[in-house]
Amino acid sequence: MAFNFFKKSKDETPSPAGGSAASAKSSAGSAPAGGAEEGGGFKRDERKAEKWFHHAQAVADHDFAIECYIHGLEHDPDNMKSHEAAYDVARKRKLSGGKSAGLGEKFGGGKGPVHKFLHAEKIWLKDPDNIGQMIATMSRAVEADEAEQDLQLGEFAYWIGSLIIQPRAKHLSVSQLIEVRELFARVNAFDKAAETCKMILAQDPANSQHLQRLKDLEAERTIRDGNYGGGKEGDFRENIKDSEKQRQLEQDDAIGKTESVIEETITRRRAELEEAPDDLDRARKLVDALLLKESDSTDDEAIKLLHDIWGKSGQYQHKARIGDVKIRQYNRQLRVLKPIAEASAPNSEDRKAFMELANKKLHFELTEFTERSQNYPTDMGVRYELGRRLFAMKRFDEAISAFQQAKVDPKWRAASNEYLGQCYIHQGWLDEAIQTFDEGLKANPDDKRKLELLYHRMDALERSAIKNHNLEHAREAQKSGSQIMQTNIGYKDIRARMEKIRKIVEDLSKPAT
């Protein structure tokens, strides 16, 4: 799908470039959000967007701040950080007595899906607790996400949908919940769609249609969750552990999906497809049912169906799913070989067979994610996954390029910096590695990622201290190690590493003789 963005004419689009917040405000007041001319092609312009976002942060006027955020989002529509910042402003505006949008403001918003989405968001931000407007904004976001391939607005839909279904004094109606459920499903957020379906069943527990929809959503969720998770640094044992954990999670999620239920679902989906062999939606549903079986034979049947769907639709996502199924088959084979290999001698044929299969899987994944990165050039999650495979194969120059691109996306910044810093260590670029780990720590990583970053930072600083006789770096390494010990004293080999680093600090602190 081509991405068409209705570009504003010069006299309609206020530009904050080079001007003050006050001058931007005077020009922004008359410009409607998304007021662009039809026929222009969208070009993401983060520089222009950032200027609007900067103005939004600089002004005290909540209404104008919202206007600035919306104008900035016209140039960078899937910038989640700015959507969240605009919502924070909206909440403050509400607390200070701000009124909802007037009748005149509620009309307009342009003809394109992105402009309609941004207009809906602007109206919602004027009344952030309005459930109806939240659902309307989520709906517009999903429409824009489906219409514009180059944007990732599914994340926004997931975020605002989560706000909608959070516990509140007044319950949502069944009709509202059904709409939200289906919007989640359209952006493949099957976990949230199933959660919403359970909320519907709490109000209407005897409804067989909702019970069946819940089963379908949980089946979709199981398939999506079955995608490759992967370990670290090419450690195949870690990959196998992650796959085993994922398998257990799938079993927990598939409550009630006994073998007989799965067989019944497959039979029903096959019959439906036989009635209308060219119905791609029915073919996709049969694929989902087949993949619940977790066997090579049904996986192979699903792969054949996906090839057919891909050929008829021309949509690459179905080709990518074939890759996911093949990766799942590799994981299943490795789970069988793992206990045999572990019980065998180090150089036994069983261990060799295990490592050969793991290496074959890695090469397949590298080919798969290389192709995906070409088909989804703006998806930094794919770029990150490509980087991990390159890293595992010790192709550090190429991995560096992949991670440098992936870290532009805030969602992948901390993880990309963790791997990027390790690449620099392998290349012997210690100063760059230290700076990169620092960047990763500033990117608000989760607790597990933070420990990894601290550990690698400590390692880079220790190497630099030894190589350059740098006492400052030795002390910084000690600080990082201390943070790890205060969080988790049993983390990796932290006790032994800290003893070594303390000795380095002690030696470097001695006066030269």
Side-chain angles (χ1 to χ4, degrees):
M1 292 173 287
F3 183 32
N4 296 316
F5 195 90
F6 300 129
K7 204 170 184 181
K8 291 184 177 181
S9 62
K10 293 181 180 179
D11 59 337
E12 290 176 81
T13 308
S15 172
S20 66
S23 62
K25 182 173 182 177
S26 65
S27 59
S30 61
E37 292 182 359
E38 190 169 349
F42 175 74
K43 292 181 181 178
R44 188 187 298 275
D45 193 330
E46 293 179 355
R47 182 185 60 81
K48 287 183 180 178
E50 195 57 39
K51 288 178 179 178
W52 280 114
F53 298 152
H54 175 74
H55 281 302
Q57 295 160 10
V59 299
D61 185 325
H62 292 144
D63 285 277
F64 181 56
I66 290 172
E67 289 281 345
C68 287
Y69 275 120
I70 295 297
H71 283 304
L73 289 164
E74 289 174 353
H75 301 289
D76 195 9
D78 49 11
N79 186 315
M80 276 306 303
K81 182 179 177 181
S82 295
H83 283 295
E84 291 169 354
Y87 178 65
D88 287 341
V89 172
R91 300 296 303 166
K92 292 173 184 175
R93 178 182 179 277
K94 180 77 173 179
L95 290 172
S96 64
K99 296 180 180 180
S100 59
L103 188 61
E105 287 182 271
K106 293 182 180 180
F107 293 98
K111 297 180 181 179
V114 175
H115 281 160
K116 288 179 180 178
F117 155 58
L118 291 175
H119 183 73
E121 182 180 11
K122 177 183 173 183
I123 302 305
W124 163 55
L125 291 173
K126 297 290 184 71
D127 190 6
D129 295 325
N130 187 315
I131 294 298
Q133 192 57 48
M134 292 174 84
I135 295 173
T137 304
M138 183 183 184
S139 177
R140 290 298 191 187
V142 172
E143 289 171 4
D145 186 63
E146 291 173 341
E148 313 296 357
Q149 185 176 352
D150 291 341
L151 293 178
Q152 303 294 326
L153 288 168
E155 185 181 358
F156 177 92
Y158 187 97
W159 171 71
I160 193 172
S162 300
L163 292 177
I164 292 168
I165 65 171
Q166 67 184 5
R168 56 184 71 248
K170 184 180 179 180
H171 292 298
L172 278 72
S173 68
V174 169
S175 61
Q176 287 176 320
L177 287 168
I178 289 172
E179 185 174 1
V180 173
R181 178 190 69 190
E182 298 308 314
L183 289 170
F184 273 132
R186 283 165 66 182
V187 294
N188 297 330
F190 297 113
D191 57 337
K192 288 294 182 182
E195 181 182 339
T196 310
C197 200
K198 290 174 183 176
M199 294 170 68
I200 295 169
L201 286 166
Q203 296 188 45
D204 191 9
N207 191 307
S208 60
Q209 288 184 333
H210 296 320
L211 285 168
Q212 182 58 51
R213 184 63 176 134
L214 178 60
K215 289 179 182 179
D216 290 341
L217 289 168
E218 287 182 332
E220 290 276 7
R221 177 185 177 183
T222 300
I223 302 306
R224 296 286 174 174
D225 286 350
N227 290 348
Y228 175 80
K232 300 175 292 182
E233 303 182 23
D235 187 336
F236 297 122
R237 291 180 181 273
E238 281 296 321
N239 289 345
I240 299 305
K241 288 178 184 176
D242 286 354
S243 299
E244 183 64 19
K245 288 178 184 176
Q246 185 61 57
R247 186 177 67 85
Q248 293 169 2
L249 285 172
E250 289 170 7
Q251 290 174 342
D252 291 341
D253 288 343
I255 295 171
K257 290 185 177 63
T258 62
E259 193 70 23
S260 61
V261 171
I262 292 172
E263 289 288 358
E264 181 184 322
T265 304
I266 291 172
T267 301
R268 176 162 50 87
R269 295 303 189 197
R270 277 201 184 111
E272 290 171 352
L273 184 59
E274 285 173 3
E275 292 174 0
D278 294 325
D279 189 324
L280 297 186
D281 185 56
R282 293 189 183 194
R284 281 190 288 265
K285 287 179 179 178
L286 176 54
V287 168
D288 295 341
L290 289 166
L291 292 176
L292 287 172
K293 183 80 172 175
E294 278 280 358
S295 73
D296 283 343
S297 61
T298 50
D299 278 3
D300 288 341
E301 185 179 348
I303 288 171
K304 289 179 182 178
L305 274 169
L306 285 167
H307 268 295
D308 187 47
I309 295 169
W310 176 41
K312 290 177 179 177
S313 68
Q315 295 177 343
Y316 179 77
Q317 60 181 311
H318 303 298
K319 170 67 164 57
R321 197 172 184 191
I322 292 170
D324 290 336
V325 177
K326 289 183 177 179
I327 290 169
R328 195 172 82 150
Q329 288 181 317
Y330 276 119
N331 286 338
R332 189 160 52 239
Q333 293 166 25
L334 287 167
R335 280 199 297 269
V336 173
L337 291 178
K338 178 194 173 196
I340 300 171
E342 288 185 335
S344 304
N347 295 318
S348 67
E349 291 302 314
D350 288 331
R351 288 214 175 192
K352 288 179 182 177
F354 176 79
M355 294 307 295
E356 283 175 7
L357 183 60
N359 194 44
K360 185 178 178 182
K361 176 194 168 195
L362 177 60
H363 279 81
F364 174 80
E365 289 176 342
L366 179 61
T367 301
E368 185 71 18
F369 282 98
T370 298
E371 182 181 277
R372 291 187 196 186
S373 69
Q374 293 164 354
N375 282 273
Y376 300 130
T378 61
D379 188 334
M380 293 301 104
V382 170
R383 194 75 57 176
Y384 168 75
E385 293 296 343
L386 172 61
R388 290 205 309 118
R389 275 69 181 186
L390 290 165
F391 182 91
M393 297 185 74
K394 302 187 186 302
R395 291 165 58 173
F396 297 119
D397 284 341
E398 295 165 89
I400 286 170
S401 176
F403 290 127
Q404 284 177 338
Q405 293 173 68
K407 75 173 186 174
V408 172
D409 187 334
K411 184 167 39 172
W412 301 102
R413 188 165 295 154
S416 295
N417 277 317
E418 180 193 339
Y419 275 101
L420 188 56
Q422 292 176 74
C423 289
Y424 291 152
I425 288 176
H426 281 287
Q427 301 290 64
W429 307 336
L430 298 178
D431 287 341
E432 288 79 4
I434 294 164
Q435 291 172 16
T436 301
F437 293 133
D438 284 340
E439 280 184 43
L441 288 165
K442 291 176 183 176
N444 297 318
D446 59 33
D447 292 341
K448 182 179 178 182
R449 181 79 61 191
K450 183 177 180 181
L451 286 178
E452 289 289 325
L453 285 160
L454 283 169
Y455 187 88
H456 291 305
R457 180 179 188 270
M458 177 191 73
D459 180 58
L461 286 161
E462 179 190 343
R463 291 169 184 261
S464 177
I466 294 170
K467 179 180 179 181
N468 303 310
H469 303 283
N470 189 320
L471 176 58
E472 182 184 348
H473 279 183
R475 286 174 173 161
E476 280 294 313
Q478 190 173 10
K479 286 181 184 178
S480 288
S482 178
Q483 282 183 264
I484 295 170
M485 288 190 70
Q486 290 176 57
T487 303
N488 182 358
I489 198 168
Y491 187 77
K492 294 187 177 180
D493 58 348
I494 189 62
R495 287 189 176 188
R497 293 295 296 272
M498 281 295 283
E499 286 181 14
K500 181 182 176 184
I501 291 169
R502 288 191 188 102
K503 183 67 168 59
I504 294 170
V505 171
E506 182 182 333
D507 290 343
L508 290 175
S509 298
K510 292 177 182 178
T513 56

